[in-house]
Amino acid sequence: MDEKSYYSRLLIALLMVLCFGVIVLQYVCPTSDCQLLHLASLSSRLGSRARGDRMNGAGAGDPYSSEDGALVRFVPRFNFTTKDLDRAVDFNIKGDDVIVFLHIQKTGGTTFGRHLVRNIQLERPCECHAGQKKCTCYRPGKRDTWLFSRFSTGWSCGLHADWTELTSCVPSFMGNRESQERRRTPSRNYYYITILRDPVWRYLSEWRHVQRGATWKASKHMCDGRLPTLSELPSCYNGDDWSGCSLEEFMACSYNLANNRQTRMLADLSLVGCYNLSIMSESQRWAMLLESAKRNLRNMAFFGLTEYQRKTQYLFEHTFRLSFIAPFTQLNGTRAASVEVEPETQRRIRELNQWDVELYEYARDLFLQRFQYARQQERREARQRRLQERRRLRAKVKPWWGVTGKAVFKPTKEPPMTEQSPVFSEEKQADAGQMLESETEGQVEDNWLEEDDSETILDYLENVEQWR
């Protein structure tokens, strides 16, 4: 009876401590977003520590392998140059560089845009206030923005402006905000970024969005200095919106801008006469747009994929040398995922978006190759640091043991040891002997590491890592 009473009192005490902790948390951090951010920040720190342990040989699990689901092995299909894969830019946030976010509809761009203004560790974080959609993202010591996006500068070049609009609008927009003194300095660097999504699920997500009454009628579609005419860009519906439309109706509109939206928004439309469809055949037009979209995607500083949130975070941090506070989360419970679509309907959607399907396969291949290349580069740098540490230890051991030459680790002949001979203490001799032994065992590895320094991209292509 006494034992039960003891455990009952202990349980009550633990519950009281838990309730007190919840009350304190609500007082210090009242909003759910704040609480989640703190929990995610703790998770990020633990993940970073695990990643560091892995680099030091602790054998921790790969934090990027869990998000791939059914992806067993990635086999590259396209040949990219080292310049295409090596995407570490010298982004100077204290200077004049600007990140420009090309936000394609229903790709998860809203979530990523919020990460940019609320979740990056900065010397001068963006100032975001409750009830306001836009944040102020100034550089340290300047009243000048480093980010052009929906949540920083708003839709300054039009609602969901595409590549054609942004590349002609952003420089002039930023120039109008500059002082006369700033305009006389060399032009700034613009780093374009975007997010892509699987075409079928992006298309379904846009249909559900339009079905709920959303429109993008405020989009300008500016190209070559003019807006498209009504005959060039007709509407799929009469009235204020297309709410309540069925999937069949959505798919039946041949001039629906949802079709191949990602290809069109990433391409240079001026190459095909903007929205004038009479200049060339449809197949020729889309083939040119696809090649333009691929070229612009390769040359962008960064792009991510909705289906690979953790890898997207990793590549952004690797590219811009910026770190996020909380890790990205892979959410599969989207509205599009809740739609049950027959295989035949999915096939038709893929046909309607054949150019987006081809672009996405190209983008996915490039994205995963960039991730693979960056990880191998990270491992090489870690091996180089270990090699430098060995050389530093070897430099300390040589004076003690008379080691000469790289391939020879035999100590020189020592004089007879007598009671008067100056000798090391037993503890120092043991430590030096252990270091010398470890160097001898690592000699073969050292030679291999030095050969590894001269490896080319073939090392990357021949050693495609496996995600399970």
Side-chain angles (χ1 to χ4, degrees), residues 141-152:
K142 296 182 180 180
R143 292 182 60 83
D144 182 30
T145 185
W146 57 270
L147 176 64
F148 187 97
S149 73
R150 167 189 179 183
F151 293 115
S152 57

Side-chain angles (χ1 to χ4, degrees), residues 105-304:
Q105 290 94 315
K106 313 313 296 177
T107 58
T110 299
T111 299
F112 184 76
R114 289 198 179 102
H115 280 304
L116 294 177
V117 298
R118 296 177 181 270
N119 192 27
I120 298 183
Q121 294 179 357
L122 297 171
E123 180 180 337
R124 184 178 182 179
C126 297
E127 297 178 10
C128 303
H129 303 284
Q132 296 182 3
K133 292 185 178 181
K134 292 194 295 184
C135 303
T136 302
C137 297
Y138 284 153
R139 309 175 191 276
K142 296 182 180 180
R143 292 182 60 83
D144 182 30
T145 185
W146 57 270
L147 176 64
F148 187 97
S149 73
R150 167 189 179 183
F151 293 115
S152 57
T153 55
W155 302 113
S156 301
C157 290
L159 179 62
H160 287 285
D162 56 30
W163 189 91
T164 306
E165 293 175 289
L166 287 177
T167 52
S168 62
C169 168
V170 171
S172 60
F173 173 82
M174 297 299 296
N176 292 335
R177 295 163 61 98
E178 297 171 353
S179 63
Q180 289 296 121
E181 180 180 355
R182 171 66 187 85
R183 293 179 191 178
R184 290 192 292 268
T185 60
S187 60
R188 66 174 84 215
N189 296 316
Y190 294 100
Y191 296 106
Y192 288 83
I193 64 175
T194 193
I195 300 292
L196 298 181
R197 186 180 182 183
D198 179 273
V200 174
W201 299 113
R202 196 215 66 79
Y203 187 85
L204 289 171
S205 182
E206 181 165 344
W207 162 62
R208 290 296 300 270
H209 195 62
V210 170
Q211 189 184 49
R212 294 192 301 271
T215 68
W216 291 289
K217 291 190 294 185
S219 298
K220 296 179 179 179
H221 304 293
M222 184 73 70
C223 180
D224 283 351
R226 71 176 185 88
L227 300 175
T229 64
L230 186 59
S231 61
E232 291 176 334
L233 207 60
S235 177
C236 286
Y237 57 90
N238 298 318
D240 296 332
D241 57 50
W242 206 3
S243 58
C245 72
S246 66
L247 181 57
E248 287 294 329
E249 293 173 329
F250 193 75
M251 296 169 60
C253 181
S254 60
Y255 35 85
N256 190 344
L257 291 179
N259 300 341
N260 298 298
R261 180 181 290 280
Q262 296 178 105
T263 302
R264 188 186 67 256
M265 291 188 66
L266 287 174
D268 183 358
L269 295 176
S270 62
L271 297 176
V272 295
C274 299
Y275 294 92
N276 185 354
L277 305 182
S278 62
I279 294 180
M280 61 186 71
S281 65
E282 182 180 9
S283 60
Q284 184 181 3
R285 170 186 172 84
W286 279 109
M288 291 183 64
L289 289 177
L290 178 62
E291 290 306 313
S292 176
K294 288 180 178 179
R295 181 169 55 253
N296 291 336
L297 197 67
R298 281 197 312 271
N299 294 331
M300 278 186 171
F302 161 83
F303 72 89

Side-chain angles (χ1 to χ4, degrees), residues 413-451:
K413 185 176 181 180
E414 298 178 3
M417 294 177 57
T418 63
E419 294 182 357
Q420 291 79 22
S421 301
V423 295
F424 296 109
S425 65
E426 292 183 359
E427 182 178 354
K428 183 173 292 187
Q429 288 185 32
D431 292 341
Q434 290 177 0
M435 281 190 280
L436 184 60
E437 182 180 355
S438 64
E439 285 181 17
T440 306
E441 293 175 351
Q443 183 59 37
V444 176
E445 183 182 1
D446 285 347
N447 295 335
W448 175 77
L449 284 168
E450 291 192 350
E451 292 177 1

